[in-house]
Amino acid sequence: MQNPERSIVILGTGGTIAGTAVEAGDTIGYRAAQLGVASLVRDVPGLAGQALETEQVAQLDSKDMDYGVWQALARRCAHHLARPEVGGLVITHGTDTLEETAYLLQRVLAPSKPVVLTAAMRPASALHPDGPQNLLDALRVANEPGARGVLAVLGGTVHPGAEVRKSHTYRLDAFCSGDAGPLAYVEAGQLRRLREWPQGEGLGLDLLEPEAADWPWVELVSSHAGADGRVVSALQALGVQGLVVLATGNGTVHERLEAALVRARAAGVKVWRSTRCAQGRVLAKPGDLLPDAGALTPFKARVEVLLQLLLEARRQHGA
């Protein structure tokens, strides 16, 4: 449903959706981020006549996403969301770190207009690229009256930005929303919504104001057979400020690794437990030695720890 009075801004960051390969049949040996976002829009016939603006914020393979790009993207989102003539945003992104960018934007901005991330599993040069349909579907969602929050649209499925995760390495339906399931489906140009739009208060764009090089250092470590605490001790000696452990099962951690993490936490390192399981959440229980991340995946938990450390730094600076 197109709103004729308001435009949609499409922000490009690169990714597979903008990738090309020498051979049209090559869907894994391509180079990401080769085409500009304006070119992507021109190549989708269904977008002709829509009130659209395009802006290239970055041009990179999303495996190489960094804090500087996050800062620039969040600022451009905030700028365009503040314009009354803009009804929503679409962001073209790589699939590899889309879930992290989506979580960050939802937590920082929690927009009252839709901010829709979309991507592709096949490059633009493929015989049957999925990017054009994903872009068309994302614009359909961005034009939906009443839509709000950060969303991800891929393969005809709408995911909340705080919950979306990449769950397959290669196939076209590579994303899911965890236990809660999709927010909606785009079916033949129509939106079928299953649950409510994302809600909540944003932490504020000013949280991301420090120079990217000054952001806290947060790393992931994994619990597994034979794990010990040497990696934690090494990271702590190098100045790590936050750690998220990919725990086994319901947040269990190898005793040697757990002992090192407890020591690190006592020394001031922020430590959270998530689970390396593909589904489910960590359920807290009496006697837990380390705080848990609840339903957050390890990668979203890492972003949340990063944001919490930035909040603490801002409070200390304000004090």
Side-chain angles (χ1 to χ4, degrees):
M1 182 180 296
Q2 173 73 29
N3 186 336
E5 298 180 356
R6 300 202 295 177
S7 63
I8 302 297
V9 177
I10 307 175
L11 303 175
T13 67
T16 297
I17 193 170
T20 59
V22 175
E23 300 290 337
D26 187 353
T27 58
I28 59 174
Y30 59 88
R31 291 185 63 189
Q34 299 302 297
L35 303 176
V37 66
S39 174
L40 298 181
V41 172
R42 285 195 303 269
D43 289 341
V44 182
L47 301 184
Q50 293 197 30
L52 304 175
E53 301 176 32
T54 61
E55 178 181 332
Q56 198 75 45
V57 176
Q59 188 72 309
L60 78 167
D61 187 324
S62 79
K63 69 179 179 61
D64 299 320
M65 183 58 66
D66 60 36
Y67 298 155
V69 175
W70 271 355
Q71 284 179 314
L73 182 60
R75 288 167 181 160
R76 297 313 294 161
C77 285
H79 168 78
H80 290 297
L81 288 168
R83 297 169 54 198
E85 71 272 22
V86 171
L89 310 180
V90 169
I91 301 170
T92 59
H93 199 286
T95 62
D96 285 347
T97 55
L98 181 146
E99 61 194 89
E100 296 167 65
T101 298
Y103 185 84
L104 177 106
L105 292 177
Q106 176 61 34
R107 289 288 286 129
V108 171
L109 300 176
S112 58
K113 298 176 183 179
V115 175
V116 186
L117 284 83
T118 194
M121 294 299 293
R122 293 175 179 168
S125 59
L127 292 173
H128 298 286
D130 53 324
Q133 186 65 56
N134 286 343
L135 185 53
L136 193 62
D137 290 346
L139 280 156
R140 170 63 184 83
V141 174
N143 273 306
E144 176 68 14
R148 60 175 294 147
V150 177
L151 309 162
V153 176
L154 304 106
T157 305
V158 184
H159 306 279
E163 300 168 38
V164 65
R165 61 186 72 173
K166 190 173 183 179
S167 56
H168 198 276
T169 60
Y170 181 73
R171 69 189 185 198
L172 297 185
D173 58 335
F175 285 79
C176 72
S177 299
D179 290 346
L183 187 150
Y185 294 107
V186 182
E187 301 167 330
Q190 300 300 311
L191 189 71
R192 178 163 66 94
R193 187 154 57 92
L194 306 177
R195 50 193 179 108
E196 293 303 313
W197 302 109
Q199 304 289 326
E201 293 291 326
L203 296 174
L205 185 62
D206 62 333
L207 186 64
L208 307 184
E209 283 306 307
E211 291 298 320
D214 297 329
W215 281 24
W217 181 19
V218 182
E219 286 292 344
L220 296 166
V221 296
S222 178
S223 185
H224 49 79
D228 62 40
R230 285 177 292 179
V231 65
V232 173
S233 299
L235 287 169
Q236 193 176 351
L238 291 170
V240 76
Q241 295 159 274
L243 290 169
V244 174
V245 57
L246 285 77
T248 46
N250 182 38
T252 57
V253 181
H254 193 291
E255 60 182 1
R256 291 195 295 267
L257 178 61
E258 184 175 57
L261 290 167
V262 168
R263 290 194 296 270
R265 185 168 183 249
V269 178
K270 188 176 288 294
V271 179
W272 281 15
R273 291 174 300 129
S274 184
T275 178
R276 70 185 203 184
C277 294
Q279 299 292 330
R281 59 180 295 149
V282 177
L283 302 174
K285 62 185 186 302
D288 284 340
L289 298 179
L290 297 168
D292 66 83
L296 294 179
T297 67
F299 313 103
K300 292 181 185 295
R302 180 186 169 277
V303 176
E304 183 61 34
V305 169
L306 183 70
L307 293 174
Q308 292 301 317
L309 288 169
L310 284 169
L311 273 172
E312 291 173 10
R314 183 172 68 180
R315 294 190 190 105
Q316 291 173 1
H317 181 74

